Amino acid sequence: MTDLPAKPVLLTGASGALGRVLARALGEAGWRLVLTDIAPFPDALPPGARFERADLEDGVTILRLAEGCGAILHFGGVSVERPFEEIIGPNLRGLYHIYEAARRERARVVFASSNHTVGFHERATTLAAEDPFRPDGYYGLSKAYGELMGRLYWMKHGVESVFVRIGSSLPEPVNARMLASYFSFADLTRLMVRAVLTERVGASVVWGASANQAMTWWGADDRAALGWAPADSADGFAGRLAGKVSGDPVEERYMGGAYCRIGYSREEMA
Ligand code: 15L
């Protein structure tokens, strides 16, 4: 990583699992980072970074934190399936604050979207980025809303976004589903670098998965325009993980896996 962003970068959700990975990697690469989260930052502050606790629902503070920033890596908010009322505040109102801050600063948003925006697509298909959303719960629905808000701000205000539909970003894949959805920390970090440094991104969608060939659910997207391709893969785990399935027909049928099963009450499966 040689090039550095011209302006500081705001990273929300900095105290979360992926926020901590990015704070460390980008801080070590010399990026000037403004870190924020509703929870305290648990690690030593990377060089060139400052941290301030903030609630995404506090729009005034979000505007202030974004002052002077050229990009916002938005990893904050609820990151798993939760009841609707718990999601509205951080993921809908909070997201509006992020986009208003981006509009004011003429900053770019890199939005941590999710595979759960399309969780109710069947695993037998290979999706393109423009295929319809099929959220598998209120969390996935909030991420689809986030992508649509980004589209609105692009069309109406020229605010650029990269929507990254993150699969399963963990130290390593742990079940058969992740032979398709695994996204290594290194591939994630390299994508963040390209998403910030690429001169023009418009409103781009990228599937956040490593080069998983043993099982592929996600196809065409805007990665080439960003000059990004994943380098890692879950394929080496196929022998060990292929049999690690849930046994649940709903989970195993759809891309969203266990999220599809949460609160599922359809009686028949056509
Ligand atoms: C996500 O969007 C979640 O944030 C993460 O906790 C995992 O559940 C991941 O999706 C996944 O689908 O594995």
Side-chain angles (χ1 to χ4, degrees):
M1 281 189 244
T2 46
D3 292 341
L4 294 175
K7 292 180 171 184
V9 171
L10 174 62
L11 172 63
T12 71
S15 307
L18 299 186
R20 290 170 68 189
V21 166
L22 293 175
R24 188 173 61 241
L26 300 175
E28 281 172 2
W31 288 30
R32 287 174 293 157
L33 296 171
V34 180
L35 308 175
T36 186
D37 200 295
I38 200 163
F41 189 65
D43 304 324
L45 265 188
R50 67 183 180 87
F51 174 81
E52 184 173 326
R53 267 179 97 168
D55 186 340
L56 288 168
E57 292 202 60
D58 174 359
V60 173
T61 300
I62 298 301
L63 285 178
R64 181 172 54 71
L65 287 171
E67 265 172 18
C69 290
I72 303 174
L73 305 184
H74 184 42
F75 280 70
V78 176
S79 64
V80 290
E81 181 62 347
R82 299 298 302 159
F84 183 64
E85 293 296 340
E86 288 181 34
I87 284 181
I88 296 173
N91 289 23
L92 304 193
R93 198 173 295 113
L95 187 88
Y96 164 70
H97 296 147
I98 293 296
Y99 270 97
E100 275 301 290
R103 178 163 77 97
R104 199 170 81 164
E105 297 300 323
R106 301 190 172 283
R108 174 179 301 174
V109 178
V110 183
F111 177 52
S113 183
S114 170
N115 73 91
H116 295 289
T117 55
V118 295
F120 265 126
H121 279 278
E122 299 205 7
R123 295 181 180 190
T125 48
T126 303
L127 292 183
E130 64 269 21
D131 282 332
F133 290 126
R134 286 193 191 167
D136 55 30
Y138 300 118
Y139 163 69
L141 182 61
S142 78
K143 294 293 186 180
Y145 176 88
E147 290 195 27
L148 287 172
M149 183 173 287
R151 286 269 163 200
L152 167 67
Y153 273 71
W154 167 236
M155 296 307 294
K156 192 166 257 190
H157 305 299
V159 173
E160 293 191 303
S161 286
V162 180
F163 310 113
V164 184
R165 293 186 187 152
I166 299 174
S168 307
S169 200
L170 298 169
E172 60 178 48
V174 297
N175 58 36
R177 174 176 174 270
M178 291 185 196
L179 295 175
S181 64
Y182 174 63
F183 191 28
S184 76
F185 292 157
D187 282 339
L188 167 74
T189 303
R190 286 187 286 261
L191 176 54
M192 292 301 114
V193 171
R194 295 309 310 148
V196 171
L197 295 182
T198 299
E199 194 168 333
R200 289 272 163 260
V201 298
S204 300
V205 179
V206 180
W207 299 109
S210 287
N212 308 322
Q213 304 299 321
M215 216 155 79
T216 306
W217 298 339
W218 304 316
D221 66 10
D222 299 318
R223 64 190 55 196
L226 300 185
W228 176 81
D232 298 325
S233 173
D235 294 0
F237 294 84
R240 200 178 338 145
L241 296 179
K244 235 180 150 197
V245 292
S246 66
D248 179 293
V250 173
E251 277 193 51
E252 298 304 325
R253 179 172 181 171
Y254 297 112
M255 295 176 181
Y259 281 49
C260 298
R261 169 52 79 191
I262 299 170
Y264 188 89
S265 70
R266 263 177 89 150
E267 280 170 14
E268 89 300 344
M269 282 177 69

